[in-house]
């Protein structure tokens, strides 16, 4: 047998050698592009460093260092071999450990195209619970490492594992200058339809506001991101190797080649050109790259002898060029996104939109810290090589964007590691912030430094400085416009005098701290000594600037400067709180919100808000799928109210001039404060949820549910990573017939910054903004629900049950905010953007005891901008690169269909904008800051509607002397600005 | 923590760098010899080629090609790194696939000592079911490959996995010129005692006959052959890597170094010098050698900074030199062997002594084929590069010696693969044999070739040639002395004329074929047409020569030339068969042997022989250990008779002049023929056992049990690999207090060729020779039992249940032979050696139809020797190396305590010994044929009894012109003889 097979093969070899004098690259023969790759999660079942080192291998065998080691060795052995690498968080760790010789070898492999960086961000980010600020930053630090180190840039977006795909991600890839993007996970019905209609490749028109410059060629992979069945040659696999030594007993070349060609020809039937790509790799594969490459070498050699296909080592970018070279083919288009992702009829991956809400909240908070940190670093022109820097936090945030990080789909110890990394970065950034603020504030070099501390438990009313005596508070505003907002400062007694930077006393309302908050403080900090918070407004804090407020609590009676709140406990009658924008009415019986009136617009709606839970499925006789860290599957569509009937919420009203709030205690584990501030045009709901009880053996998924009287026609809107709004229609998908197998989970969408419903007829919009990503839906007309917390008792095989036990061990307690808006559509368009921007860029508060400090030695106010930016311009990035270069990103934060007042194209004159430096030159870059925009030449594609895309990205040049930047709706522009620091 | 740890380490680094200016090699500091190694089974759960290629990885992940690939790469990266390689069967496969560049690299690694071959046989052979001929051959082909390829030789025996250790193995290592041997598996009580008495190293005095030249330094490894707990850095392991990058989160250098030093110092307490060896590897490890070496590099670096130990890459031979350099230490001695091996009180590894009896039998048969094949190849001066050769069978036999091959401890498909390889080798050897026999026989070059076929089913009376017409039979005798023996030729009718080479009719007895045999033939060959066997004697077939006998069955009535047997079915009375040596009496009621009388010596004994079984344990409440392929554990000491009471054996007597036999049918699955041949001084028992019934859910272990009236004082004797006899005492171990936890299994020993008991007072010895290795014991005085077959229903986790289903699927049927001797001790000493030699070197029978052949064209007789060798000299090896070189091994097959007539030192004059060639020169080699004896300089050791060992191996030189070889008892001498073929 063995000998016979060998003879047959030799015959076919002889037959085909005649016709194959070289490698075929075009023509009718199918080109099979083998793409050796590894998918290296930047943390998941193990931490990023455990994955890098190969530690904790009993959990999962994975060691990225050896992947890179062995791939580099193997590529060097055969110039045909190729490999792609994706996750720069790992590559940087590895690179830093290499010898010069190895680095030189890698340089050669990169420049000859054998080793290609794909995607090239710090991680392969999640798309459902990330914010566009985080996505851009993480792509940017990866891409800039690549360009700085190798002078090259990736051309392909490679989101092969994220669990659904956002429009902004596609837009980002377009703006990064990528030619295409690829992924694996799309809805099973969508996949089936695309498979049957030869439509796995499409042009994604990802942003109506940006138009065709955001169009991108998008390919859905054939079979996940794995190799063909039986052709995995990794050490993790057990597929038959290519055994081509006929002196041994298991010679199998003919059989393996036949199988492979069959597979390739099947795949080729599905794709539109004579090119197909095979992903030859999988999670953490290539730890011993030798085994893959030796077998692929043989596979290529023997399969090509057959002549019916042309197999080659390739990369996604090379493949895309081949695909693109076929000019006869036109491509379909798509303009919605790829959410939610369902892998099967009862497996909607919509649980992770909310999983680990504390981590999601902390990640968002750290984004604010990072932006402030980078701004101050830039204003200071860096802090020198020895000084603290934002790099740790940049990298920690880069890691946190990973699709098993902020997504909440990692193991607990990995979630803890992400938080730890963020905290380490945050602490270093506090040094940056404190140093720069001191330098900006000090009127002379001999002025003592303010010992600034950052009260990280302010949200549970703990701050040792303000509780300990007289203090100063520095409010740093990272917005490009002045900031006005309310601060809550814990104090021991009800007496305080707060003065503003002009030494004028500001109105202060003293509010008693709730028992709910006190018990949380006790759990988290072991201390709950403060009895009150002083609430006051910080007004018009300058853009990119600070204002210093002073508080006196000791050595005097400052009661006259405060307003004490009026507190009514255990309210049993209807009660209404109001400010100059809203009236919120509460039902005395239930304690729930009953109605909301916008007193400015004169719009009113009944609004009922309540917390419910879904019981999590542990699988049933229809499908074994349970609700887990990824998948949301309630065991029925029934929502269970946290409070009801005899057990309704107990409410307390707290009113005063600056703040009126109703505190609702729904149950021992759910409470909420509904707040109106004097000058804030939104209703703040601060909820506290947990420990979620599971003693009944049932996992629970907690929602905050709002019912209004709006007629919404099954429609609601959610944001895409905090940017373009996406229209959602209940029980419907724009491009295929939706099968409503999971009536709740199948209608959930990611809500990264806001969700709203509209009554088009009445011109009323009800908007909810959040402070972290959550899953949201409108299950019935007029309603919105947001999932705020979840705790499960069973899980998937890998991650286990999502059961966060928290510091007490009883179950994690989370506290978050929703801001409600009820207004007409036009007003809402503006307010939602402004409020979302403020929620994102919350001011940095730092505190110092006033002992030994003379306020007159300090500048109590500073503005980083010579003039505020207009409301439609967001200062997205101000980042120190080197002593003469700063990275600047500005974005237009309105969409083209927003009211004309906000959605017009707007010019920003950069020349004198920044107080700290003079701009000498401006170079426009692609979004990643890694390549000059002028260097990008994109592949062009013909759509089936006869359009050639993408459109040219040719914004008006930013020339001196004024360096005017023009921004159209949703536009983001990125610049290297050459600066000269101004002498103070 | 992380930073603190780092600072501490930097401190200790600074402290110790002062005192450590180089690597310490002596002194009081413990030298830790790290020995990177892989243990690569030459077949076990997968076949040897599956292991080589990494096929069938779902059974066990293992791919030797990548081990060698990656080790070579990694050794090249750091000149300090070392590795040992053991199994040449794998290395040869790999070597043949390498480029010249790689080969050159390997040459460098070998010559600079980084890559060292250890053991160096084709495999790491089993020691319990192998024969010394097979052990020597397999060591020889491996060692000669090494010396031919690299010009080096191993110095250390490395039997780290075999399940018990034989004296001959130690002798072999001594004679191979090794300085030491090492292993892991010894009895748990022995180990405990050696651990507690610092006695893991000892001088093994392995052969009383050879004396101190066979002494060898023997080391028991500390903890199996694995690395220290938590220090396995293989891809198969999950131990924490050495994480030394303090910019990452899991820096653990200090902790790992502390653990390692603790382990090393603990180990150092046990060994006698300041050197310890750590086996850094395990089964099929180093598939990605990078991971091991990178971590070992770090471990060495950081552990040496501590200063309390000196860690280095090493090899066993380097380690032994260090140990040997300590001249103050004296060493204990040991002179028994290491059988049986018990890993725990109820885990005696004595089942594999018998496991897979068919494979064990076939392996032994193939050894005979191989010796004949090699002899004829040598006589023919090779068959040219294009001709068939013995290499395939040499290698297949080399593979079959592996400790999971002939041991029977492999999976079924692997056992099948071993058999297939042997068969492929056997078939090629048949070509060799047929070619050479034809060339020797043909009187001229135009004489037509005899179309010789080899009737492989002769033992079940199937031979198409003899059943098909007139034929000639070539009997090749591979002994160094003339052979006289009986052949059984299946024929269709009771009429045949057999003539000898002198054309003289020889007496023939026609014997009807039993139903038992016919039904076996039907199962195995699908044919059972022959009704009779013709039994006749081949007399004085010349040494290393042949005789051609001719049989006529067609065209005539040859009844007159035959004697028909007298057959009595269903005998119910006592019956006795006899020849000129023995009378064997059978009990009419039971059908069993009742007594045996040696009519020459006048010795008689009641002898009862019967088949019993033990029920196999599936584990019990004392211990979960079950009987499996390795371990024998009966579920009680009760033996169950195969026949008894109302259901005793049915017997048939068949008598005649040449052959008298009693056929016993004990049950449908056990039968036996007890035979006496006219001129053979032994009683032949041919048993047929199987299918073993397991329909009662119980595994069964079948024994042939003999009870005599000898007074044996708990003592019996078994051979060591067919060579030195070992004294065994029931319920006793010579060097520790035996704990009789398993009264049956714990008293089993390997019986490779014979077992005997003695009545010292009466000077009577009862001997049983077997034709394959078996487990044997003397559980009660005067008795012997041999386990002949076993079939189990449960197994161990890896191999599974030993349940051979055979060709019928119902259960494997095996047929084997025991030869019984009852005689005085002196006579027995001679007969047992002669009979064992004949059983080992059974003649090669080949057959040809006589159509178209004129007998006068052929030499009908040939002797390869000018004179027979004396009885005490065994021609162990005659092997063609190249056109002028032949490898010759002669051994003295008596022990020093055998009767003086046989045990005297004897001279053999080589000069004119061989008919086919003239000897021009003789070079004495070590046993492996890989190095001149004169080049061996062994390390010397001081025993605690003040002896310096080993003694010098300085045999009298073998000088021309006569080339006289002197052989003392048990001596084996190996020579390259330079030859000049004689012109025919």
């Amino acid at each position: 047998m063995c000998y016979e097979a060998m003879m047959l093969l030799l015959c076919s070899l002889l037959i085909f050698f005649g016709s194959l004098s070289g490698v075929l690259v075009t023509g009718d023969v199918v080109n099979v592009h083998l793409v050796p790759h590894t998918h290296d999660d930047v943390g998941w079942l193990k931490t990023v460093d455990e994955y890098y080192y190969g530690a904790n291998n009993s959990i999962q065998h994975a060691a990225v260092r050896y992947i890179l080691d062995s791939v580099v060795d193997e590529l060097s052995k055969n110039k045909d071999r190729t490999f792609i690498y994706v996750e720069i968080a790992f590559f940087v760790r590895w690179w830093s450990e290499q010898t010069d010789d190895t680095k030189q070898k890698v340089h050669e492999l990169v420049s000859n195209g054998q080793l290609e960086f794909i995607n090239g961000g710090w991680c392969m980010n999640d798309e459902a619970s990330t914010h566009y600020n985080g996505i851009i930053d993480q792509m940017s630090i990866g891409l800039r490492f690549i360009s700085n180190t190798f002078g090259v840039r990736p051309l392909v977006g490679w989101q092969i594992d994220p669990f659904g795909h956002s429009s902004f991600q596609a837009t980002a890839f377009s703006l990064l200058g990528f030619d295409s993007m690829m992924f694996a996970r799309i809805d099973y019905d969508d996949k089936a339809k695309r498979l049957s209609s030869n439509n796995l490749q499409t042009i994604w028109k990802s942003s109506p506001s940006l138009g065709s410059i955001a169009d991108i060629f998008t390919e859905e992979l054939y079979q996940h991101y794995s190799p063909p069945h039986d052709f995995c040659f990794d050490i993790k696999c057990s597929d038959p190797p290519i055994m081509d030594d006929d002196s041994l007993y298991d010679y199998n070349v003919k059989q393996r080649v036949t199988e492979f060609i069959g597979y390739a020809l099947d795949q080729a039937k599905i794709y539109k050109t004579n090119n197909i790509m095979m992903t030859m790799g999988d999670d953490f594969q290539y730890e011993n790259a030798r085994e893959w490459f030796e077998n692929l070498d043989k596979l290529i050699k023997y399969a090509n002898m057959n002549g019916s296909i042309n197999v080659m080592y390739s990369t996604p970018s090379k493949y895309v060029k081949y695909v693109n070279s076929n000019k006869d083919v036109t491509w379909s288009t798509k303009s919605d996104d790829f959410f939610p992702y369902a892998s099967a009829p009862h497996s909607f991956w919509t649980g992770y939109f909310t999983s680990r809400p504390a981590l999601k909240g902390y990640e968002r908070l750290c984004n604010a810290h990072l932006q402030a940190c980078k701004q101050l670093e830039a204003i200071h022109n860096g802090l020198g090589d020895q000084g603290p820097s934002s790099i740790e936090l940049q990298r920690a945030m880069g890691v946190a964007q990973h699709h098993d990080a902020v997504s909440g789909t990692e193991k607990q110890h990995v979630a803890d590691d992400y938080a730890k990394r963020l905290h380490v970065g945050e602490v270093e950034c506090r040094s940056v912030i404190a140093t720069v603020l001191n330098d900006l504030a000090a009127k002379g070099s001999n002025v003592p430094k303010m010992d600034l501390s950052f009260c990280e438990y302010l949200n549970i009313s703990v701050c040792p400085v303000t509780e300990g005596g007289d203090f100063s508070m520095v409010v740093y505003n990272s917005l490009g416009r002045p900031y006005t907002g309310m601060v809550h400062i814990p104090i021991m007694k009800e007496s305080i005098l707060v003065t503003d930077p002009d030494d004028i006393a500001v109105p202060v309302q003293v509010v008693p701290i709730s028992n709910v908050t006190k018990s949380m403080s006790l759990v988290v900090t072991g201390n709950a000594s403060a009895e009150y918070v002083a609430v006051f407004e910080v007004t018009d804090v300058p853009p990119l600037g600070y204002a210093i407020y002073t508080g006196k609590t000791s050595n005097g009676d400052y009661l006259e400067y405060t307003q004490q709140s009026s507190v009514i406990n255990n309210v049993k009658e209807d009660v209404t709180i109001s400010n100059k924008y809203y009236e919120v009415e509460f039902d005395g019986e239930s304690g729930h919100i009953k109605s909301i009136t916008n007193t400015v617009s004169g719009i009113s709606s009944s609004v009922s808000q309540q917390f419910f839970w879904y019981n999590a499925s542990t699988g049933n006789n229809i499908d074994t799928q349970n609700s887990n860290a990824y998948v949301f599957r309630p065991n029925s569509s029934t929502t269970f109210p946290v409070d009801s009937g005899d057990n309704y919420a107990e409410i307390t009203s707290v009113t005063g001039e600056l703040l009126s709030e109703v505190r609702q205690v729904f149950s021992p584990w759910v409470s909420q404060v509904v707040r109106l501030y004097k000058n804030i045009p939104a209703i703040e709901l601060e909820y506290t949820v947990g420990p979620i009880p599971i003693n009944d053996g049932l996992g629970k998924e907690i929602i905050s549910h709002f019912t209004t009287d709006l007629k919404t026609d099954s429609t609601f809107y959610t944001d895409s990573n905090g940017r373009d709004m996406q229209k959602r229609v209940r029980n419907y998908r724009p491009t295929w017939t939706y099968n409503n197998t999971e009536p709740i989970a199948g209608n959930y969408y990611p809500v990264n910054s806001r969700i709203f419903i509209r009554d088009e007829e009445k011109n009323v919009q009800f908007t909810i903004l959040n402070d972290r990503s959550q899953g949201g839906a409108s299950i019935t007309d007029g309603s919105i629900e947001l999932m705020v917390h979840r705790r499960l008792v069973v899980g998937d095989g890998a991650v286990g049950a999502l059961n966060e036990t928290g510091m007490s061990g009883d179950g994690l307690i989370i506290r978050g905010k929703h801001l409600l808006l009820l207004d007409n559509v036009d007003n809402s368009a503006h307010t939602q953007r402004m409020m979302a921007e403020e929620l994102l860029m919350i001011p940095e508060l730092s505190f110092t005891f006033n002992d030994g400090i003379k306020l007159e030695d300090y500048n109590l106010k500073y503005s980083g901008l010579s003039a505020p930016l207009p409301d439609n311009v967001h200062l997205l990035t101000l980042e120190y690169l080197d002593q003469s270069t700063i990275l600047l990103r500005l974005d237009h934060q309105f969409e083209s269909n927003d009211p004309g007042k906000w959605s017009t194209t707007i010019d920003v004159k950069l020349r004198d904008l920044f107080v700290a430096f003079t701009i000498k030159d401006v170079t426009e870059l692609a979004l990643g800051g890694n390549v000059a925009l002028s260097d990008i030449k994109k592949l062009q594609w013909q759509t089936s509607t006869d359009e050639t895309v993408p459109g040219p990205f040719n914004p008006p040049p930013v020339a001196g002397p004024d360096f005017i930047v023009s921004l159209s709706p949703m536009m983001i522009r990125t610049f290297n600005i050459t600066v000269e620091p101004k002498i103070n």
Side-chain angles (χ1 to χ4, degrees), chain A residues 37-40 61-64 66-68 70-71 83 85 225-227 231-238 279-289 292:
Chain A
H37 81 107
T38 182
H39 175 68
D40 298 347
H61 191 96
V64 174
Y66 302 123
I67 295 173
L68 288 164
S70 75
V71 162
F83 196 75
Y85 202 73
Y225 49 82
S226 312
F231 284 88
C232 178
F233 300 118
D234 195 70
I235 49 164
K236 291 173 186 286
C237 294
S238 300
T279 45
M280 304 310 275
D282 214 312
D283 293 5
F284 295 98
Q285 291 198 354
Y286 286 79
E287 185 172 331
N288 191 8
W292 257 114

Side-chain angles (χ1 to χ4, degrees), chain A residues 908-914 917-922 957-965 977-978:
Chain A
V908 177
K909 190 163 78 176
L910 297 185
R911 193 182 58 189
D912 300 317
L913 184 61
F914 296 95
F917 45 79
T918 310
I919 297 180
K920 313 303 282 183
D921 200 6
V922 173
V958 185
D962 283 348
F963 304 113
I964 291 168
V965 172
I977 57 178
T978 307

Side-chain angles (χ1 to χ4, degrees), chain A residues 642-801:
Chain A
V642 168
D643 67 322
S644 62
D646 295 342
N647 209 15
Y648 269 128
E650 186 180 314
I651 64 172
T652 301
S653 75
V654 178
T655 50
E657 276 180 27
L658 295 174
L659 159 70
S660 290
E661 66 185 28
V662 168
R663 299 173 176 177
Q664 303 166 299
V665 177
F666 298 99
S667 81
W669 54 279
V670 179
S671 61
Q672 185 170 253
V673 184
V674 181
R675 284 194 186 110
L676 287 175
Y677 294 110
K678 184 178 178 191
N679 293 317
I680 308 288
I683 305 156
E684 176 178 300
L685 276 61
E686 187 183 59
Y687 52 84
T688 303
V689 178
I692 300 174
I694 50 170
N695 45 9
D696 57 359
L698 289 170
K700 294 181 189 62
E701 331 232 7
I702 318 303
I703 59 168
S704 176
H705 186 273
F706 301 82
T707 308
T708 71
D709 57 16
L710 274 64
K711 299 201 187 328
T712 56
D713 196 21
S714 301
T715 304
F716 59 111
Y717 299 83
T718 61
D719 64 305
S720 182
N721 305 118
R723 206 148 171 78
D724 302 57
M725 295 307 297
Q726 308 290 312
K727 181 178 176 180
R728 310 297 187 185
V729 178
R730 189 165 61 255
N731 298 339
Y732 173 79
R733 299 292 187 264
T735 61
W736 76 90
T737 306
Y738 174 70
N739 185 11
N740 195 22
T741 43
E742 287 285 332
I744 306 299
N747 281 303
Y748 261 66
Y749 289 86
V751 179
N752 305 119
S753 70
R754 79 211 77 162
I755 180 171
F756 60 73
I757 48 178
R758 281 176 179 168
D759 187 324
E760 300 284 352
E761 201 180 305
K762 292 187 184 160
N763 187 23
V764 175
Q765 177 172 323
F766 178 67
T767 308
I768 308 177
L769 295 113
N770 57 12
D771 61 352
R772 71 199 67 188
S773 291
Q774 295 169 323
S778 173
I779 300 294
T780 54
D781 275 4
S783 78
I784 293 178
E785 63 187 60
L786 284 161
M787 189 180 289
V788 294
H789 200 0
R790 53 202 312 254
R791 187 180 186 190
L792 306 173
V793 294
V794 294
D796 67 307
V799 177

Side-chain angles (χ1 to χ4, degrees), chain A residues 343-386:
Chain A
S343 55
H346 296 282
S347 307
F348 283 84
W349 296 44
T350 55
Y352 81 99
F353 299 163
T354 298
S355 295
R356 301 195 184 278
L359 181 63
K360 283 183 164 68
Y362 187 47
E363 181 274 333
R364 195 65 61 86
L365 188 65
C366 285
N367 182 64
H369 296 325
L370 175 59
Q371 304 314 319
C373 182
K374 291 200 293 185
Q375 288 173 357
L376 287 167
E377 220 172 12
I379 286 169
H380 198 268
N381 199 31
L383 276 77
D385 289 347
Q386 304 306 313

Side-chain angles (χ1 to χ4, degrees), chain A residues 850-899:
Chain A
N850 268 353
D851 301 352
I853 281 183
K854 291 183 204 149
L855 285 176
E856 59 268 30
D857 287 345
Y858 301 91
N859 301 306
L860 299 186
K861 208 164 185 178
Y862 171 84
S863 177
L865 294 189
S866 57
L869 294 174
D871 282 2
N872 43 8
V873 176
H874 176 60
L875 177 69
L876 180 58
T877 308
L878 190 73
E879 183 176 327
Y880 171 81
L881 296 182
D882 60 44
Q883 293 213 315
S884 59
T885 319
I886 282 171
L887 184 75
L888 171 70
R889 277 194 198 92
L890 295 174
D891 74 68
H892 192 303
Q893 53 181 341
F894 287 85
E895 296 185 68
S896 55
N897 61 355
D898 279 329

